[in-house]
Amino acid sequence: MNNKWKQIVAISAIAGISWLLVQNPYTQIYLTQLTDDSVASMKQEDELLLQIKESTKKYEIAPQDARIDSVWKTVPAYNGLKVNIDDSYKAMKKEGVFDKNKLVFQQVPAKIHMEDLDPAPIYRAHPEKPVVSFLINVAWGNEYLQDMLAVLKKNNVKATFFLEGNWTKKNPELAKMIKGGGHEIGNHSYSHPDMKNISAQATREEIRKTNEVIEAVTGLKMKWFAPPSGSYRDETVKIADSFGMETAMWSVDTIDWQKPSPEVLQQRVLSKVHPGAFILMHPTESTAKSLETLIIEIKKKDLDVVTVSEAVDEERSNP
C-alpha cells in the first residue's frame, strides 16, 4: 500500500471515530454541560463586574480644591477617591462575589492646591480629615519641655514645635532634642514682638534671623511661621510667604499660659477638638501634666495626632 493510500485510510478512520463521538449521547451531555457552565461563569462574572461598577456611585468621593474661606482663611485641598474597577474585579474574581472590603481605590487629586492661593494664614487642616496637630510655641518653659518630649515619644506622637530664634540660640541642645524626637520645627520669630505693629523691615529680620539660627542648629529649613500671640497683619503673611513659609494659627487654644489645672485644660481642649484641629500649647506645667490624657482621649475620637505638614497633606485614607 503506497503512502497516499495510507493517508486516505487514516483520515477516513479519524473521521469515522469523530462521527461516532459526536453521535455518542454521553458526549452530547458533556458538551451541553460544558456550555452551560461557561455561560453561567460568564454570567456570574458579568454580574460581579456590574456590581463593582454600581459601587462607584456609593463609594466614590469627589476631590475638594484648596480655597480661601471668609472665616478660616486657607483651607487645604483634599483628595477624592475613585474605585479602580479592573483591580477591584481581580481582587473579587476568585470568590466570584462582591465584597466592599476588597474594593481597590485610587486617589483623585484636586485641581487647586494651597500653593495656588494668595498668601493667607491657616487655622486648621481640612475639616473632613481625621487628624489634629499640636502646635507647641517655645520661647520659655525649659523645665517642662523634656517631660513633654518624653510623653510624645511614649505615645508615638509627632508635634510641630515653633521655636523662638533667641531661645534656640541660647538652648541649642534642647532644639536638637526636639529634632531628634522626629518632630517638625517652625519659626516663632526671633524676639517675640507684636508682629502686627512692627515694620516690614523688622518683620523680615525677625523671620530671617530665626530661620538662620534654627537651620544652623538643626539643619532644617523652615516651612511654617507662627506669629507670637497670633498677632499679624496681611503684610506679615506676605513677608512670610516671600520666605517660602505658610503662616500657622490655631482653632483650639489650651490657654495654658494662664496656668489652669490639668482638668480644666483637658476639658477646654476635648470639648472643642474637631477633625483638622490645630491645638495651641506651650511648655507649661498644666500642659505637661495634661498631654498624655489629651493624646489618649483624642485618639478615642478616631483622630490621629500628626504634624502640621502631615495634617495639611492632601492624601486621604480609604473609606
Side-chain angles (χ1 to χ4, degrees), residues 83-97:
V83 175
N84 186 313
I85 294 174
D86 290 340
D87 288 350
S88 298
Y89 181 72
K90 290 176 183 177
M92 301 179 206
K93 186 177 180 180
K94 183 177 180 180
E95 299 297 330
V97 294

Side-chain angles (χ1 to χ4, degrees), residues 3 6 14 31 65 69 90 93 117 119 134 143 149 161 163 170 206 223 243 271 277 297-299 303 309 317:
N3 289 336
K6 289 180 180 179
I14 292 171
L31 291 172
D65 289 336
D69 183 78
K90 290 176 183 177
K93 186 177 180 180
L117 305 176
F134 293 156
E143 63 269 38
L149 288 170
F161 287 80
L163 309 184
K170 293 177 180 178
E206 287 284 332
K223 298 190 298 182
F243 283 91
S271 64
E297 294 302 317
I298 287 170
K299 288 183 175 181
L303 298 170
S309 288
S317 301

Side-chain angles (χ1 to χ4, degrees), residues 41-42 44-49 51-52 85-99 102-104:
S41 178
M42 289 175 63
Q44 185 181 37
E45 290 178 3
D46 288 344
E47 289 177 353
L48 175 58
L49 191 59
Q51 283 183 290
I52 292 171
I85 294 174
D86 290 340
D87 288 350
S88 298
Y89 181 72
K90 290 176 183 177
M92 301 179 206
K93 186 177 180 180
K94 183 177 180 180
E95 299 297 330
V97 294
F98 179 82
D99 182 350
K102 291 183 179 179
L103 285 171
V104 179

